[in-house]
Coordinates of all heavy atoms in Angstrom, one line a residue:
S30 N 18.0 5.6 5.9 CA 17.2 6.0 4.8 C 16.8 4.9 3.8 O 16.4 5.2 2.7 CB 17.9 7.2 4.0 OG 19.1 6.7 3.5
D31 N 17.0 3.7 4.2 CA 16.5 2.6 3.4 C 15.4 1.8 4.2 O 15.7 1.3 5.3 CB 17.6 1.6 2.9 CG 18.5 1.2 4.0 OD1 18.6 1.8 5.1 OD2 19.1 0.1 3.9
W32 N 14.2 1.8 3.7 CA 13.1 1.3 4.4 C 12.6 0.0 3.7 O 12.4 0.0 2.5 CB 11.9 2.3 4.5 CG 12.3 3.6 5.2 CD1 13.5 3.8 5.9 CD2 11.5 4.7 5.3 NE1 13.4 5.1 6.4 CE2 12.2 5.7 6.0 CE3 10.2 5.1 4.8 CZ2 11.7 7.0 6.3 CZ3 9.7 6.3 5.0 CH2 10.5 7.3 5.8
L33 N 12.3 -1.0 4.5 CA 11.8 -2.3 3.9 C 10.3 -2.5 4.3 O 10.0 -2.6 5.4 CB 12.6 -3.5 4.5 CG 12.2 -4.9 4.0 CD1 12.5 -5.0 2.5 CD2 13.0 -6.0 4.7
F34 N 9.5 -2.4 3.3 CA 8.1 -2.7 3.4 C 7.6 -3.5 2.2 O 8.1 -3.3 1.1 CB 7.3 -1.4 3.4 CG 7.5 -0.5 4.6 CD1 8.1 0.7 4.5 CD2 7.0 -0.9 5.9 CE1 8.3 1.6 5.6 CE2 7.2 -0.1 7.0 CZ 7.9 1.2 6.8
P35 N 6.6 -4.4 2.5 CA 6.0 -5.1 1.3 C 5.1 -4.2 0.5 O 4.6 -3.2 1.0 CB 5.2 -6.2 2.0 CG 4.9 -5.7 3.4 CD 6.0 -4.8 3.8
L36 N 4.8 -4.6 -0.7 CA 3.8 -4.0 -1.5 C 2.4 -4.1 -0.8 O 2.2 -5.0 0.1 CB 3.7 -4.6 -2.9 CG 4.9 -4.4 -3.8 CD1 4.8 -5.3 -5.0 CD2 4.9 -2.9 -4.3
C37 N 1.5 -3.3 -1.2 CA 0.1 -3.3 -0.6 C -0.6 -4.6 -1.2 O -0.8 -4.7 -2.4 CB -0.6 -2.1 -1.0 SG -2.3 -2.0 -0.3
T38 N -0.8 -5.5 -0.3 CA -1.5 -6.8 -0.7 C -2.5 -7.2 0.3 O -2.7 -6.5 1.3 CB -0.5 -7.9 -0.8 OG1 0.2 -8.0 0.4 CG2 0.6 -7.6 -1.9
G39 N -3.2 -8.3 0.1 CA -4.1 -8.9 1.1 C -5.3 -8.0 1.3 O -5.8 -7.3 0.5
A40 N -5.7 -8.0 2.6 CA -7.0 -7.3 3.0 C -6.8 -5.8 2.8 O -7.8 -5.1 2.6 CB -7.3 -7.6 4.4
E41 N -5.6 -5.3 2.8 CA -5.4 -3.8 2.7 C -5.7 -3.4 1.3 O -6.1 -2.2 1.0 CB -4.0 -3.4 3.1 CG -3.8 -1.9 3.2 CD -2.4 -1.6 3.6 OE1 -1.8 -2.3 4.5 OE2 -1.8 -0.6 3.1
R42 N -5.4 -4.2 0.3 CA -5.6 -3.9 -1.1 C -7.1 -3.8 -1.5 O -7.8 -4.7 -1.3 CB -4.9 -4.9 -2.0 CG -5.2 -4.8 -3.5 CD -4.7 -3.6 -4.1 NE -3.3 -3.6 -4.4 CZ -2.6 -2.7 -5.1 NH1 -3.3 -1.7 -5.6 NH2 -1.3 -2.8 -5.3
L43 N -7.5 -2.6 -1.9 CA -8.9 -2.4 -2.3 C -9.2 -3.0 -3.6 O -8.4 -2.9 -4.6 CB -9.2 -0.9 -2.4 CG -9.0 -0.1 -1.1 CD1 -9.5 1.3 -1.3 CD2 -9.6 -0.7 0.1
T44 N -10.3 -3.8 -3.7 CA -10.7 -4.5 -4.9 C -12.1 -4.2 -5.2 O -12.9 -3.8 -4.3 CB -10.5 -6.0 -4.8 OG1 -11.2 -6.5 -3.7 CG2 -9.0 -6.3 -4.7
D45 N -12.5 -4.3 -6.5 CA -13.9 -4.1 -6.9 C -14.7 -5.4 -6.8 O -14.2 -6.4 -6.3 CB -14.0 -3.4 -8.3 CG -13.3 -4.3 -9.3 OD1 -13.2 -5.6 -9.1 OD2 -13.0 -3.8 -10.4
G46 N -15.9 -5.3 -7.3 CA -16.8 -6.5 -7.2 C -16.3 -7.7 -8.0 O -16.7 -8.8 -7.7
D47 N -15.4 -7.5 -9.0 CA -14.8 -8.6 -9.7 C -13.5 -9.0 -9.2 O -12.9 -9.9 -9.8 CB -14.6 -8.1 -11.2 CG -15.9 -7.8 -11.9 OD1 -16.9 -8.5 -11.6 OD2 -16.0 -6.8 -12.7
G48 N -13.1 -8.5 -8.1 CA -11.8 -8.9 -7.5 C -10.6 -8.2 -8.1 O -9.5 -8.5 -7.8
D49 N -10.8 -7.2 -9.0 CA -9.7 -6.4 -9.6 C -9.3 -5.3 -8.7 O -10.1 -4.7 -7.9 CB -10.1 -5.9 -10.9 CG -10.5 -7.0 -11.9 OD1 -9.8 -8.1 -11.9 OD2 -11.4 -6.9 -12.8
K50 N -8.1 -4.8 -8.8 CA -7.6 -3.7 -8.0 C -8.4 -2.5 -8.4 O -8.6 -2.2 -9.5 CB -6.1 -3.5 -8.3 CG -5.1 -4.6 -8.0 CD -3.7 -4.3 -8.5 CE -2.8 -5.4 -8.3 NZ -1.4 -5.1 -8.8
V51 N -8.7 -1.7 -7.3 CA -9.4 -0.4 -7.6 C -8.4 0.6 -8.1 O -8.7 1.4 -9.0 CB -10.1 0.1 -6.3 CG1 -10.6 1.5 -6.5 CG2 -11.2 -0.9 -5.8
H52 N -7.2 0.5 -7.6 CA -6.1 1.5 -8.0 C -4.9 0.7 -8.3 O -4.5 -0.2 -7.4 CB -5.9 2.5 -7.0 CG -5.1 3.7 -7.4 ND1 -3.8 3.6 -7.7 CD2 -5.4 5.0 -7.6 CE1 -3.3 4.8 -8.1 NE2 -4.3 5.7 -8.0
P53 N -4.2 0.9 -9.4 CA -3.0 0.0 -9.7 C -1.8 0.3 -8.8 O -0.9 -0.6 -8.7 CB -2.7 0.4 -11.2 CG -3.2 1.8 -11.3 CD -4.4 1.9 -10.5
T54 N -1.7 1.5 -8.2 CA -0.4 1.8 -7.4 C -0.8 2.2 -6.0 O -0.1 3.0 -5.4 CB 0.4 2.9 -8.1 OG1 -0.4 4.1 -8.1 CG2 0.8 2.5 -9.5
Q55 N -1.7 1.5 -5.4 CA -2.1 1.8 -4.0 C -0.8 1.5 -3.1 O -0.2 0.5 -3.1 CB -3.2 0.9 -3.5 CG -3.7 1.2 -2.1 CD -4.8 0.2 -1.7 OE1 -5.6 -0.3 -2.5 NE2 -4.9 0.0 -0.4
K56 N -0.5 2.5 -2.3 CA 0.7 2.4 -1.4 C 0.3 1.8 -0.1 O -0.8 1.9 0.4 CB 1.3 3.8 -1.2 CG 1.8 4.5 -2.4 CD 2.9 3.7 -3.1 CE 3.5 4.3 -4.3 NZ 2.6 4.3 -5.4
P57 N 1.3 1.1 0.5 CA 1.0 0.4 1.8 C 0.8 1.5 2.9 O 1.6 2.5 3.0 CB 2.2 -0.5 2.0 CG 3.3 0.2 1.3 CD 2.6 0.8 0.1
E58 N -0.1 1.2 3.8 CA -0.3 2.2 4.9 C 0.9 2.3 5.8 O 1.2 3.3 6.4 CB -1.5 1.7 5.7 CG -2.8 1.9 5.0 CD -4.1 1.7 5.9 OE1 -3.9 1.5 7.1 OE2 -5.2 1.7 5.3
A59 N 1.7 1.2 5.9 CA 2.9 1.2 6.7 C 3.9 2.3 6.3 O 4.5 3.0 7.1 CB 3.6 -0.1 6.7
L60 N 4.0 2.6 5.0 CA 4.8 3.6 4.5 C 4.4 5.0 5.0 O 5.2 5.8 5.4 CB 4.8 3.6 3.0 CG 5.9 4.4 2.2 CD1 7.3 4.0 2.5 CD2 5.6 4.4 0.7
L61 N 3.1 5.3 4.9 CA 2.6 6.6 5.3 C 2.7 6.7 6.8 O 2.9 7.8 7.4 CB 1.2 6.8 4.8 CG 1.0 7.3 3.4 CD1 1.5 8.7 3.3 CD2 1.6 6.5 2.4
H62 N 2.5 5.6 7.5 CA 2.5 5.6 9.0 C 3.9 6.1 9.4 O 4.0 7.0 10.3 CB 2.3 4.2 9.5 CG 2.2 4.1 11.0 ND1 1.1 3.9 11.7 CD2 3.2 4.1 11.9 CE1 1.3 3.8 13.0 NE2 2.6 3.9 13.2
R63 N 5.0 5.6 8.8 CA 6.3 6.0 9.2 C 6.5 7.5 8.8 O 7.1 8.3 9.6 CB 7.4 5.2 8.5 CG 8.8 5.6 8.9 CD 9.8 4.6 8.4 NE 9.7 3.3 9.1 CZ 10.5 2.3 8.9 NH1 11.5 2.3 8.0 NH2 10.4 1.2 9.6
I64 N 6.1 7.9 7.7 CA 6.3 9.3 7.2 C 5.6 10.3 8.2 O 6.2 11.3 8.6 CB 5.8 9.5 5.8 CG1 6.8 8.8 4.8 CG2 5.7 11.0 5.5 CD1 6.3 8.8 3.4
F65 N 4.4 10.0 8.6 CA 3.6 10.9 9.5 C 4.2 10.9 10.9 O 4.3 11.9 11.5 CB 2.2 10.5 9.5 CG 1.4 10.7 8.2 CD1 0.1 10.2 8.1 CD2 2.0 11.4 7.2 CE1 -0.5 10.5 6.9 CE2 1.3 11.6 6.0 CZ 0.0 11.1 5.8

């Protein structure tokens, strides 16, 4: 019940035209992949 995943970064992190995060707490897809 302890899972090691990195924060959502790199190409997976959605950014706007200025390079800022679209959402401040976007979760990594790996986390949802395991849950599903």
Side-chain angles (χ1 to χ4, degrees):
S30 61
D31 51 337
W32 300 352
L33 180 65
F34 291 112
L36 291 166
C37 182
T38 57
E41 187 181 325
R42 168 65 78 171
L43 301 187
T44 56
D45 59 21
D47 297 324
D49 296 324
K50 299 175 184 176
V51 174
H52 194 291
T54 62
Q55 181 182 334
K56 295 301 181 287
E58 291 188 8
L60 188 67
L61 275 297
H62 185 106
R63 179 169 293 180
I64 288 171
F65 291 171

